[in-house]
Amino acid sequence: MLHVSLFRMIWLYRMIHFTVFFALVSNECMIQLYNDKYFQGGDVATIFTPTAKHCQIVCTYHPRCLLFSFLSSRSTKDTSKWFACLLKDSVTETLPTVNMTGAISGYSFKQCQHQISACHTDIYMGFDMRGMNYKSFVTMNVQECEDRCTNDAHCHFFTYATQTFHSEAHRKVCLLKYTTTGFPTKIELRENVVSGFSLKSCAVSKMACIRDIFPNTIFADLNEDRLFTPDPWVCQSICTHHPNCLFFTFLSKNWPTESQRNLCLLKTSQSGIPSTRITRENAFSGFSLLNCRHSVPVLCHGSVYSNTDFLGEELDIFEVKDHTTCQERCTDTIRCQFFTYSPSGETYNKGKGKCYLKMSSNGSPIKILHGRGGVSGYTLRLCKMENACTNKIKAKIVGGTNSVLAEWPWQISLHVTFPIQKHLCGGSIIGKQWILTAAHCLEGLEGATKLLRVYAGIVNQSQIHRNTPFFRVQEIIIHEKYEMANHGYDIALLKVEVPINYTTLQKPICLPSKGDGKITYTNCWVTGWGYTKERGKIQDTLQKIFVPLITDEDCQMSYREHKITNKMICAGYEEGKKDACKGDSGGPLSCQQNGIWHLVGITSWGEGCARPGHPGVYTKVDEYVDWILKNTST
């Protein structure tokens, strides 16, 4: 008995023991995951996710989650806790950290400024994600099952039994599932099954999308949830991100029943559409935008509301000069969800008013009052993640080779000024102060930032003269593993000295999500001012070429003397004639998916220019997303 007790004590000590530090929530972006660490206490919700990365995205969207801990199947013998994602908050913004084998912990992305997405395309072999099984089909493969889920109003996730499943009667059966939270109630390991999530958030659903909001209309269906919002557009945004909201009704500030004014009713129905519409003044109704074939917006409310007070739990009070400063304070305070600014009429106070930073359990005001002189609004924290790249930009010319203004607004021209000023390479705007280009463009220039100029929003090199605005380069970051372009890691970042003002002529392109290499892009273009033949010259007008992507296997056959790694991607034509060339290096391989342009590749190397059987080789950007985020978040 003594030996058993001693063994247990040793096992517990090895599995869990307190360390001397605390997890501290800071105002900096913290993307690192901590293996074998568990944040103790502060639980606000527990769900189940297949990975820690997925848990981190869920934490970011949750109104209160600041930190999280994920329990892998190695963390405990209790299978009911496998894959648990524990969302956490802390009044002090700190939590004690405990060592736990198999636990993975981290922070929400709320303090980050990179793009995030609720789109989750991964499928999980051997995972049985549990929920309410409400429909079943026999499908030919898991992709058909995924499509069924994506195009079903209620489906959150699915499980598919493969052809080798132990029960012959259940082979090729696709189970569509839902839960109250939108996440599995449990995840079990099971042989010969595959699970995944609906792709509605990926803008690929074929269901009807209704963007209109209908005045003087009430949808009389089951209320999934209720909260207070200042207008029907915020109500619609919240409905879009709610796991079970299909449509909504908003009661305006002029609604006759005072206690129901500004009430946002999130609704659903078994059929997926409203069963009854009632005509009533001062009411607005509409639909979730989750089914729309566009990038689902981040949960961001940018408007401010005059003569409006948001009620909630007060976090802090400051004296500030105006409501804009108050909103900035709220955005910079990680637990602040919304604010109210009360102007001061006192002359001795030099016009300053009081700024009340507030929060609630669901991220919305617990009550909204009018006529008291306040100005209210929401944190803009998540708005920082709605990268301007999510604006749809469609090519204005089909065919031809010359580009026009605003056609490729992320394309920049990188100039070197010594011994004479000339175009050196291309690059892509990916953030307010960040340009992504090729490492080989900067060989020998690592310490020569003063010799570089970034020109944005131009199409013709002849536009550039002495007075043309440009961005000075503050910092050069070359991938630490870069040696030669054809060895890989041909990627570099340029940080410009002052932020780029986004306009229709200059704005960022979206970075792909990590793992987007599985997507089959069919609309890809290479752009640049490079040579149009091997012994040519820099072109005056920005050129564009449509190029098909090529498999790694076919590309390797074309380059037998080189290694085509999984961090490269190839594009071009078997017959040659169309390709990137000298001067295009560092520029974008831009691919459009569901109306959104993504930076899939960086022009890197090739055998000559447009030679038959030798496609262009590009740095595969989705393989470097972590590296980019790490270096642009500092």
Side-chain angles (χ1 to χ4, degrees):
M1 188 69 179
L2 179 62
H3 292 296
V4 173
S5 299
L6 182 61
F7 172 79
R8 285 177 177 170
M9 289 173 64
I10 294 172
W11 181 82
L12 284 170
Y13 177 78
R14 287 179 176 173
M15 286 294 292
I16 303 174
H17 68 272
F18 285 97
T19 57
V20 294
F21 63 91
F22 284 73
L24 172 65
V25 179
S26 74
N27 285 328
E28 298 179 358
C29 174
M30 302 176 71
I31 63 173
Q32 183 178 351
L33 295 178
Y34 300 91
N35 292 318
D36 300 325
K37 301 293 182 184
Y38 179 81
F39 295 155
Q40 190 175 58
D43 295 359
V44 293
T46 299
I47 58 169
F48 290 83
T49 60
T51 66
K53 284 284 190 182
H54 194 189
C55 182
Q56 190 170 35
I57 294 293
V58 175
C59 178
T60 303
Y61 277 102
H62 190 279
R64 287 184 56 195
C65 182
L66 303 182
L67 319 90
F68 69 91
S69 288
F70 172 79
L71 303 182
S72 73
S73 57
R74 297 189 303 114
S75 64
T76 175
K77 294 181 179 180
D78 184 353
T79 58
S80 67
K81 295 180 180 179
W82 287 2
F83 308 105
C85 168
L86 295 95
L87 308 182
K88 298 171 179 285
D89 183 20
S90 171
V91 174
T92 62
E93 300 181 7
T94 62
L95 288 176
T97 302
V98 175
N99 285 346
M100 179 183 287
T101 301
I104 304 171
S105 296
Y107 298 86
S108 103
F109 287 138
K110 286 184 173 72
Q111 295 304 96
C112 301
Q113 297 188 29
H114 60 266
Q115 183 196 6
I116 63 169
S117 172
C119 172
H120 195 84
T121 59
D122 292 339
I123 57 174
Y124 299 93
M125 298 292 298
F127 281 42
D128 183 3
M129 301 200 302
R130 293 303 188 93
M132 177 66 70
N133 301 337
Y134 72 100
K135 283 185 181 177
S136 65
F137 305 91
V138 174
T139 59
M140 293 301 296
N141 50 49
V142 66
Q143 285 71 32
E144 184 182 342
C145 184
E146 184 178 58
D147 288 344
R148 291 266 193 173
C149 183
T150 300
N151 294 296
D152 183 281
H154 297 286
C155 184
H156 295 137
F157 50 92
F158 64 89
T159 296
Y160 176 73
T162 68
Q163 196 168 2
T164 56
F165 189 67
H166 67 87
S167 171
E168 185 175 355
H170 294 92
R171 290 173 185 168
K172 293 190 175 182
V173 171
C174 167
L175 296 175
L176 304 190
K177 307 182 180 189
Y178 74 90
T179 63
T180 56
T181 64
F183 300 99
T185 56
K186 186 180 180 183
I187 298 179
E188 296 181 350
L189 298 180
R190 191 181 301 276
E191 291 184 353
N192 302 315
V193 299
V194 184
S195 291
F197 290 88
S198 161
L199 301 185
K200 296 182 187 71
S201 295
C202 306
V204 296
S205 175
K206 297 174 184 176
M207 293 191 295
C209 164
I210 303 173
R211 293 183 173 87
D212 296 333
I213 293 178
F214 303 95
N216 303 320
T217 302
I218 287 178
F219 291 158
D221 288 273
L222 178 66
N223 293 331
E224 278 287 325
D225 205 348
R226 57 171 60 202
L227 41 83
F228 291 95
T229 63
D231 60 34
W233 292 276
V234 174
C235 185
Q236 185 177 50
S237 176
I238 292 173
C239 177
T240 298
H241 288 272
H242 190 281
N244 294 303
C245 182
L246 301 180
F247 42 90
F248 67 91
T249 290
F250 171 76
L251 310 180
S252 77
K253 65 180 181 180
N254 298 317
W255 184 256
T257 305
E258 185 177 356
S259 63
Q260 296 177 345
R261 291 172 185 168
N262 290 102
L263 191 61
C264 169
L265 302 170
L266 308 181
K267 297 174 174 284
T268 189
S269 70
Q270 189 171 355
S271 66
I273 59 175
S275 59
T276 307
R277 301 186 184 208
I278 301 172
T279 301
R280 288 287 299 272
E281 291 185 357
N282 303 312
F284 299 81
S285 292
F287 295 83
S288 163
L289 301 180
L290 189 61
N291 297 333
C292 298
R293 295 179 68 86
H294 67 123
S295 181
V296 176
V298 169
L299 192 57
C300 161
H301 317 306
S303 299
V304 293
Y305 302 88
S306 300
N307 210 19
T308 301
D309 283 31
F310 288 174
L311 304 189
E313 178 186 340
E314 289 186 3
L315 297 173
D316 213 337
I317 305 174
F318 299 95
E319 282 193 351
V320 297
K321 63 180 180 179
D322 53 29
H323 71 267
T324 301
T325 307
C326 187
Q327 189 169 44
E328 290 173 356
R329 283 278 191 140
C330 182
T331 301
D332 292 337
T333 303
I334 193 167
R335 299 187 77 234
C336 181
Q337 298 165 344
F338 47 90
F339 69 91
T340 292
Y341 171 74
S342 295
S344 173
E346 304 294 335
T347 55
Y348 72 86
N349 209 30
K350 297 182 180 179
K352 287 187 176 181
K354 289 188 176 180
C355 171
Y356 299 87
L357 307 186
K358 306 182 180 185
M359 68 170 293
S360 69
S361 60
N362 61 12
S364 294
I366 60 173
K367 188 70 177 174
I368 297 178
L369 302 177
H370 301 277
R372 297 170 59 170
V375 180
S376 296
Y378 295 86
T379 175
L380 300 181
R381 194 176 304 114
L382 291 186
C383 303
K384 295 178 181 179
M385 300 177 190
E386 189 163 42
N387 198 319
C389 72
T390 56
N391 296 328
K392 290 186 181 180
I393 303 166
K394 296 183 178 179
K396 298 174 180 62
I397 300 176
V398 177
T401 57
N402 288 346
S403 301
V404 297
L405 273 174
E407 190 172 0
W408 314 101
W410 48 85
Q411 172 85 52
I412 63 94
S413 175
L414 179 64
H415 277 222
V416 63
T417 59
F418 183 83
I420 60 170
Q421 181 168 337
K422 62 180 180 179
H423 170 81
L424 176 66
C425 278
S428 303
I429 301 171
I430 61 167
K432 281 285 187 181
Q433 285 185 267
W434 294 101
I435 307 297
L436 196 64
T437 187
H440 78 261
C441 291
L442 302 165
E443 289 181 1
L445 294 170
E446 293 89 336
T449 56
K450 292 182 179 179
L451 298 181
L452 299 176
R453 293 183 177 185
V454 172
Y455 290 92
I458 66 164
V459 168
N460 298 311
Q461 291 289 323
S462 57
Q463 290 176 252
I464 298 173
H465 47 76
R466 180 178 298 177
N467 297 321
T468 302
F470 62 88
F471 295 92
R472 297 186 186 277
V473 175
Q474 176 180 314
E475 184 181 5
I476 298 171
I477 304 174
I478 296 176
H479 198 287
E480 56 276 8
K481 293 186 178 180
Y482 172 75
E483 294 178 354
M484 297 176 61
N486 57 17
H487 290 181
Y489 300 100
D490 190 13
I491 186 169
L493 286 160
L494 300 175
K495 185 177 184 180
V496 295
E497 287 186 350
V498 297
I500 298 168
N501 180 34
Y502 293 161
T503 68
T504 55
L505 302 183
Q506 53 188 41
K507 62 175 64 175
I509 183 171
C510 287
L511 292 176
S513 298
K514 187 177 179 181
D516 273 3
K518 299 176 183 178
I519 295 176
T520 302
Y521 294 101
T522 57
N523 186 19
C524 295
W525 295 75
V526 181
T527 50
W529 288 274
Y531 294 9
T532 55
K533 54 185 177 180
E534 284 191 31
R535 296 184 179 181
K537 63 180 181 179
I538 296 297
Q539 298 299 293
D540 180 53
T541 302
L542 180 66
Q543 302 293 293
K544 62 177 182 181
I545 304 169
F546 172 82
V547 288
L549 299 186
I550 295 172
T551 65
D552 291 348
E553 293 76 14
D554 288 345
C555 191
Q556 186 63 76
M557 292 290 290
S558 300
Y559 290 102
R560 296 179 185 273
E561 296 181 2
H562 300 278
K563 172 64 176 174
I564 302 299
T565 73
N566 64 346
K567 296 182 181 297
M568 301 174 185
I569 190 169
C570 301
Y573 294 87
E574 176 64 29
E575 65 273 20
K577 298 183 181 180
K578 295 181 180 181
D579 191 10
C581 197
K582 184 177 180 180
D584 293 323
S585 291
L589 170 64
S590 308
C591 298
Q592 193 181 45
Q593 178 80 358
N594 300 315
I596 305 297
W597 288 97
H598 292 88
L599 183 58
V600 172
I602 301 168
T603 303
S604 181
W605 63 280
E607 191 71 38
C609 298
R611 292 183 184 179
H614 288 87
V617 185
Y618 302 80
T619 302
K620 192 176 181 184
V621 176
D622 77 278
E623 291 289 334
Y624 295 92
V625 169
D626 285 346
W627 180 85
I628 294 168
L629 296 181
K630 176 184 175 183
N631 285 285
T632 57
S633 298
T634 55

